[in-house]
Amino acid sequence: MVFDLDDTLALSKAKISPRMSQCLLRLLSQKNVCIISGGRYEQFQTQVLEELPLTPELAERLHLMPTCGTRYLRWEASGWHDVYCENLADEEKALIIRVLTEGAKSLGLWAENTWGEVIEDRGSQVTFSALGQQAPHHAKVAWDPDGSRRRALWEYATVRLPDLEVRSGGSTSIDVTKKGIDKAYGMQRLLEYLDLRVEDVLFIGDRLDEGGNDYPVRQMGVPCVAVTGWEQTADYIDALLAPEPDHTPPPLMAPLDLR
């Protein structure tokens, strides 16, 4: 099972809840679990690993894919080690930062008072966060409730960065990676590493809409479940592990027509 992180396993930039921690531990006792998100590895540590009391046996079943699958880490010899890391070149990062800055300012999306960095170099990904990396959840939710602001910046950047991958990330963010290096790339590498087929995986995320950073996973044909928050994800895991007649998990999304 594969999960997005922000607004799927936890509130954006927040630690997973005790309930979610228990859900993941129960799931890891039975299945391989992958978390793939736009955040850096350090964010995974803060949001998930520090709240998840893993044994070495459970850690070996956990797969971490920060920065939208541009990096993949596994537990080996008492530590997390890179399987791969697809870093951007310095000139690519400079171009991305210039385009995102100019775009946000020209579209009226550049905020002067923010909670932390607006544009963050994550090595394999550059991320624009309109209100800053540490903005509180309530402010993020209120900033772009219909997604129109993110879409405007995504369209602006997509035109000007044709050789790079541009995706709408969280509730206030835009992620840019190498071309073709997105969550679908991460999923394909995971399938190869574990010798799995597309139908062997279930993905749960909140940004499965076109342009969202979960959409590439749906586009490659992986069975997907759309959620709107971590509580719905926890309900799904509970229903999966201990099905009850009155506890029906959200349905799978209809497959895309890939013809």
Side-chain angles (χ1 to χ4, degrees):
M1 290 190 69
V2 183
F3 299 91
D4 174 46
L5 178 49
D6 284 345
D7 296 318
T8 299
L9 293 179
L11 293 177
S12 180
K13 297 294 192 297
K15 294 178 180 292
I16 60 171
S17 68
R19 180 188 175 196
M20 182 56 72
S21 176
Q22 289 303 308
C23 283
L24 291 176
L25 290 173
R26 290 167 57 215
L27 196 58
L28 283 164
S29 70
Q30 300 183 25
K31 302 176 183 295
N32 277 281
V33 172
C34 175
I35 302 173
I36 184 168
S37 173
R40 301 174 67 171
Y41 167 64
E42 292 77 9
Q43 200 67 46
F44 280 51
Q45 287 180 302
T46 301
Q47 290 185 256
V48 180
L49 297 180
E50 291 177 2
E51 306 301 311
L52 199 61
L54 292 168
T55 64
E57 292 76 18
L58 293 182
E60 289 176 1
R61 291 183 180 172
L62 182 59
H63 307 254
L64 304 179
M65 289 191 159
T67 48
C68 291
T70 60
R71 188 179 178 190
Y72 177 22
L73 298 101
R74 292 293 312 277
W75 178 267
E76 295 176 8
S78 302
W80 294 97
H81 299 278
D82 282 321
V83 176
Y84 68 77
C85 187
E86 303 284 358
N87 283 329
L88 291 158
D90 289 343
E91 57 270 24
E92 290 175 317
K93 290 188 281 190
L95 174 62
I96 294 166
I97 290 170
R98 178 173 62 80
V99 168
L100 291 175
T101 301
E102 292 174 353
K105 290 181 176 179
S106 68
L107 295 167
L109 305 179
W110 189 269
E112 295 301 328
N113 299 312
T114 63
W115 291 267
E117 293 179 277
V118 172
I119 296 181
E120 184 182 20
D121 176 359
R122 297 178 176 175
S124 55
Q125 176 179 294
V126 174
T127 296
F128 167 87
S129 297
L131 301 179
Q133 296 294 326
Q134 306 305 320
H137 181 71
H138 66 86
K140 289 184 175 185
V141 172
W143 184 76
D144 188 23
D146 64 355
S148 60
R149 287 179 163 184
R150 278 166 293 161
R151 185 160 192 87
L153 184 56
W154 171 71
E155 291 175 347
Y156 180 99
T158 298
V159 171
R160 291 160 179 81
L161 299 170
D163 297 324
L164 294 163
E165 200 73 46
V166 183
R167 295 286 177 189
S168 174
S171 53
T172 64
S173 63
I174 297 292
D175 300 323
V176 185
T177 63
K178 287 184 177 182
K179 194 71 173 179
I181 309 296
D182 54 17
K183 288 190 178 182
Y185 174 85
M187 288 298 305
Q188 188 58 50
R189 293 293 297 268
L190 183 71
L191 294 177
E192 293 169 0
Y193 193 86
L194 297 179
D195 192 24
L196 298 173
R197 300 166 299 172
V198 165
E199 56 268 29
D200 296 326
V201 177
L202 178 64
F203 179 86
I204 299 178
D206 72 310
R207 293 305 320 278
L208 287 155
D209 53 303
E210 186 172 2
N213 67 357
D214 295 331
Y215 183 74
V217 180
R218 181 185 173 204
Q219 198 172 29
M220 69 182 285
V222 171
C224 294
V225 174
V227 296
T228 57
W230 73 267
E231 298 93 342
Q232 197 172 14
T233 303
D235 288 344
Y236 190 95
I237 295 172
D238 284 342
L240 182 72
L241 297 179
E244 299 176 7
D246 59 344
H247 198 166
T248 304
L252 293 178
M253 298 188 74
L256 293 173
D257 185 351
L258 303 178
R259 291 174 296 176

